[in-house]
Amino acid sequence: MHFYEMSSRLIGDTVSKVSDNMTTVVLAASVITLILGYVSKVLLRQSSDKDLKYPPYIPSSIPFLGHAIAFGKSPIEFLESAYEKYGPVFSFTMVGSTFTYLLGSDAAQLMFNSKNDDLNAEDVYSRLTTPVFGKGVAYDVPNPVFLEQKKMLKTGLNIAHFREHVKIIEAETKEYFQRWGDSGERNLFEALSELIILTASSCLHGKEIRSMLNERVAQLYADLDGGFSHAAWLLPGWLPLPSFRKRDRAHKEIKNIFFKVTQKRRQSGEKVDDILQTLIDATYKDGRPLNDNEIAGMLIGLLLAGQHTSSTTSAWMGFFMARDKSLQERCYAEQKAACGEDLPPLDYDQLKDLNLLERCLKETLRLRPPIMTMMRMARSPQTAAGYTIPVGHQVCVSPTVNHRLCDTWDKRLEFNPDRYLDDNLAAGEKFAYVPFGAGRHRCIGENFAYVQIKTIWSTLLRMYDFDLVDGYFPTINYTTMIHTPNNPVIRYKKRTQ
Ligand code: HEM
């Protein structure tokens, strides 16, 4: 019997018992109808919930921790074997949270096309980013405000600025690598990490802040950056951990430096054409200018968003080129062909003609995308591949897995920059290649990253010939949030032109 039928019958019974009092009848009928309506709604919901198909769940015998250990040891292998077994959408538990992965281009579109109110970024990122970037920016503000902030930053990342950036980055690279001498074996990742703080500070913060970047300030950045840790991700922020305290102290000190520089720039009335000035002059849609706290937070965000992403990518790119000597020679020959036999100082237009180098970077970002997983919190039930993802699941897309799915990529694990010259299946799949994300949270730093990494590698290829040390190609360190190379030492020898 349907619930509504049952309700009318009951009303009928009630009517016969109290037929002498019409008011009572009407009241009783209304109350009973309301109650039965509510009960039927709840029961209906329950019965339809039973009909819902949830994503396949990977069982685990370890309570609370779930698959954290297996995933932590080898996340890509874990996800790839789950894809084989369960298909593109599946869920599992780690440290008390349920994660649902959307693998492959089709499944990933749910994340990239969704509204932030449905699949929310702040819910998952803010606890990590807000203590580092500070209040009032990025994931600490409602997403429409962050979108306005991203637009302001993007205005500053323009071609006129890039033209200057190429010169700055080439000069910084030459100066930094002087210490390497003519030949040797050195830690490439460490060197590129240090260099990229310098270049990013020059280009994104401006000459005043760059001039203050000494060892002490570099240590402050390192302490601040220590905030991006698994501990910060998993543990409550109020715990008195030394790394949390260091992070908070560094945040305060760096902000004070930025406040002073911003105030000085404002007072001097000098109009320098750089990103700091872009931010000082920027206004929200309602006409309000950014305050000094927001500017400082955005400057920190600019530096740190590009720091690990660009330094790991540049380091991996170096190892891929050192492993394939003929590719390295083709890249060097391209420098001469595009820029001139005598290799004059780099400029932005020439950089654009370095197509092979660009494809090497693109291929590095395919096989070693620094952001291994993008995450959102499901705030409303979501549908993917016919499954319903419940509220509270952390919904994830992994560029790393999408970039090497066997259904999409031919010779998927081979580093082949020329693959982009031919027709390939991946080009037809919208989200098969997403190192910079997509949709409303898409990266704004892609063009700057290309300018920065191409300039650094153009300069380095002109200076040195690179080799692996005794054939060792670095394995992947999965213990860091961004997958860095293990023991990243490279052999180098000065080129005789
Ligand atoms: C190789 C270099 C880089 C890579 C691979 C990279 C990757 C990404 C990815 C995957 C996202 C999307 C995150 C998500 O959807 O959850 C993202 C967002 C973003 N990136 Fe980058 N990034 C790089 C460099 C930079 C640089 C240099 C900057 C700044 C100058 C930057 C600023 C941002 C910002 C502001 C967002 C927006 C986050 C949001 O809207 O939620 N990135 N990046």
Side-chain angles (χ1 to χ4, degrees), residues 188-203:
L188 179 68
F189 177 51
E190 205 175 270
L192 289 169
S193 301
E194 286 173 11
L195 173 65
I196 280 169
I197 292 196
L198 302 173
T199 55
S201 181
S202 292
C203 299

Side-chain angles (χ1 to χ4, degrees), residues 125 139 146 150 153 157 204 302 305-306 309-310 313 365 370-371 374-376 434-437 440-445 448-449 453:
Y125 292 152
Y139 302 109
F146 183 27
K150 279 173 75 174
L153 292 169
L157 295 165
L204 304 174
L302 271 180
T309 45
S310 294
T313 306
L365 285 165
I371 310 272
M374 291 169 249
M375 273 191 229
R376 309 282 184 265
V434 281
F436 295 96
R440 61 174 47 245
H441 291 284
R442 196 185 196 292
C443 184
I444 53 153
F448 176 75
I453 298 171

Side-chain angles (χ1 to χ4, degrees), residues 70-179:
F71 185 90
K73 232 162 84 189
S74 187
I76 309 307
E77 235 170 74
F78 180 91
L79 294 173
E80 284 185 336
S81 74
Y83 178 79
E84 288 287 303
K85 197 162 170 193
Y86 300 99
V89 180
F90 51 83
S91 309
F92 56 96
T93 298
M94 284 194 295
V95 202
S97 298
T98 307
F99 294 82
T100 293
Y101 268 81
L102 312 170
L103 298 184
S105 180
D106 282 353
Q109 65 181 316
L110 169 66
M111 174 182 281
F112 296 133
N113 293 338
S114 69
K115 294 196 193 121
N116 194 58
D117 285 343
D118 293 326
L119 286 183
N120 187 272
E122 297 91 273
D123 287 353
V124 286
Y125 292 152
S126 175
R127 57 182 292 125
L128 208 59
T129 55
T130 301
V132 175
F133 302 161
K135 295 223 153 269
V137 294
Y139 302 109
D140 183 56
V141 290
N143 192 247
V145 179
F146 183 27
L147 284 177
E148 284 200 56
Q149 294 175 346
K150 279 173 75 174
K151 213 162 154 194
M152 296 170 193
L153 292 169
K154 227 174 157 201
T155 314
L157 295 165
N158 58 43
I159 293 181
H161 288 164
F162 292 158
R163 287 190 191 286
E164 291 308 306
H165 294 166
V166 173
K167 293 180 212 156
I168 295 170
I169 296 166
E170 185 181 32
E172 292 271 12
T173 308
K174 279 183 175 163
E175 193 187 327
Y176 183 91
F177 277 90
Q178 260 178 9
R179 70 194 72 176

